[in-house]
Amino acid sequence: MVKLLVIGPNGKMGKAMIHQAHLHPEMELVGGVGPEACGYSGIDLGVIAGVGENLGVVAKDNLDDIIHSCDVAVECTNVEASLAILDKCVAAAKPLVSGTTGFTAEQKTLFRMAGESIPVLLAANTSKIAHLYFRLIEWITGEIGENADIDIIEMHDRNKLDAPSGTSRQIGSIIAKGLAKNFDEIARYQRKGKGVRPPGIIDYTSIRTGNFPASHKVIFGFENEKLELTIDGYNMLPYAKGMIEAAMFLYGKKPGLYTIEQAIAPNI
C-alpha cells in the first residue's frame, strides 16, 4: 500500500483527491495538511471531503507533524505554499506530486533542483482526456496551423489565481512548437483597442466566473471557415484521478523531475 499525504485537503482538488485515493485499492490515506490555524485541523478527512463516511484519518495544520508518515505527498495549492512544501519534502526525502500552476521559469528551476534529491512530478494538467486533446492540437497545428488565426479561450472559477491557466499555456507551447516559433514572442493576452489582427500570433482570452471548473477552447480560423476544439471539465475528479495515478507512478522512483506524460500517457 502506498501511503498518501494530501496537502490542502479542504480545496476543490484536495477533496477530489481524497475521494480518488479512498477508492484506490493500493493506496492508504495517512493524513491531510492545511495551513496553520486552518479551522479544520483534527477533523476526519472523510468529513472534510464529503466522502459519506469517516476514514479514520484526520487533518493537521503542521506539515512537519506528519510528513514522515507518508510515502508520497500530493498538493494543488498556490505558488508560495507549493514552494514551501517542496522544501519540506526535500528535507524529509519524500516524493512530491504538484498540480499547482502559475510558477515563473525561475521557480520551475527549483523543482528541477529538487529532482536531484527526491522524485518530483510537476503537472499543469493531470487529466488523461486532456492529454489526448493536446495530441489532437499538436497534429492539427502541424497540418494547418501556419495558415490559421489561432485563439485560445479558457474559463475557470472566479477564485483561480493565475491567468492564463497552466493548461492553456501548455496548449500555446504545443502550438508554438508545431509552428517552430517562440511561445513568448507570439502569445498575446486579452485583445484591447483598435487595429487589424497581426498574423502569426496566438490570442488568449481568460475568463474567471462563478464556480465553473475548467474549459479550454482552441480556434483555428480561416477565411471561409473555422475549426474549434473544446474540452470541458465538469468537476475536479478527472484531474484528481490523474494526481493519484501520478503518486502511484512516483512511488519507488529514483530522484528526478518526472512528467505527467510519463505517468499517464502510456495508459491512454
Side-chain angles (χ1 to χ4, degrees):
M1 299 290 282
V2 177
K3 297 179 180 179
L4 186 75
L5 175 62
V6 177
I7 303 173
N10 197 44
K12 287 183 179 180
M13 274 294 290
K15 292 177 180 179
M17 287 190 291
I18 291 170
H19 273 268
Q20 293 297 309
H22 173 58
L23 295 173
H24 200 290
E26 299 177 39
M27 186 161 281
E28 176 188 356
L29 279 164
V30 295
V33 179
E36 185 176 354
C38 59
Y40 54 84
S41 180
I43 297 177
D44 191 279
L45 294 187
V47 174
I48 292 173
V51 172
E53 60 180 299
N54 284 350
L55 302 182
V57 183
V58 300
K60 297 182 180 294
D61 61 4
N62 189 329
L63 183 55
D64 295 327
D65 290 344
I66 194 171
I67 191 169
H68 293 284
S69 301
C70 76
D71 294 321
V72 183
V74 294
E75 65 91 15
C76 292
T77 55
N78 59 65
V79 169
E80 292 74 20
S82 181
L83 294 176
I85 292 163
L86 180 66
D87 286 343
K88 289 184 178 292
C89 284
V90 169
K94 296 296 182 179
L96 174 67
V97 179
S98 174
T100 297
T101 61
F103 297 105
T104 64
E106 292 76 15
Q107 289 168 333
K108 289 180 179 179
T109 299
L110 299 176
F111 283 86
R112 286 193 288 272
M113 293 172 62
E116 298 175 4
S117 303
I118 62 171
V120 182
L121 194 153
L122 177 63
N125 190 304
T126 53
S127 159
K128 284 187 178 182
I129 300 301
H131 285 268
L132 282 174
Y133 181 70
F134 298 156
R135 291 182 187 180
L136 289 171
I137 291 169
E138 181 179 19
W139 178 75
I140 291 172
T141 300
E143 293 292 318
I144 58 174
E146 64 181 14
N147 301 313
D149 291 327
I150 302 175
D151 289 82
I152 299 175
I153 302 172
E154 52 99 359
M155 180 165 61
H156 290 78
D157 70 80
R158 67 188 307 275
N159 294 316
K160 183 167 179 61
L161 298 177
D162 56 320
S165 67
T167 295
S168 65
R169 289 185 62 84
Q170 184 173 353
I171 292 169
S173 296
I174 291 169
I175 293 171
K177 183 178 180 181
L179 297 175
K181 295 182 178 181
N182 184 299
F183 169 71
D184 290 327
E185 293 177 357
I186 65 172
R188 185 174 69 170
Y189 307 103
Q190 303 295 125
R191 178 180 173 89
K192 181 181 179 181
K194 297 181 180 180
V196 176
R197 176 184 180 135
I201 66 166
I202 301 172
D203 252 346
Y204 272 91
T205 300
S206 297
I207 301 169
R208 299 291 177 264
T209 186
N211 196 36
F212 193 86
S215 177
H216 294 86
K217 176 186 292 186
V218 180
I219 301 174
F220 294 87
F222 304 92
E223 186 173 353
N224 298 306
E225 55 191 345
K226 66 181 173 68
L227 172 63
E228 296 185 8
L229 290 96
T230 301
I231 182 169
D232 294 326
Y234 300 145
N235 53 52
M236 307 311 291
L237 291 177
Y239 314 105
K241 186 175 182 180
M243 289 287 292
I244 298 306
E245 290 192 27
M248 292 296 300
F249 167 82
L250 215 59
Y251 175 65
K253 288 290 189 295
K254 296 179 180 179
L257 180 60
Y258 296 88
T259 68
I260 191 63
E261 290 83 5
Q262 289 174 297
I264 67 173
N267 300 317
I268 293 177

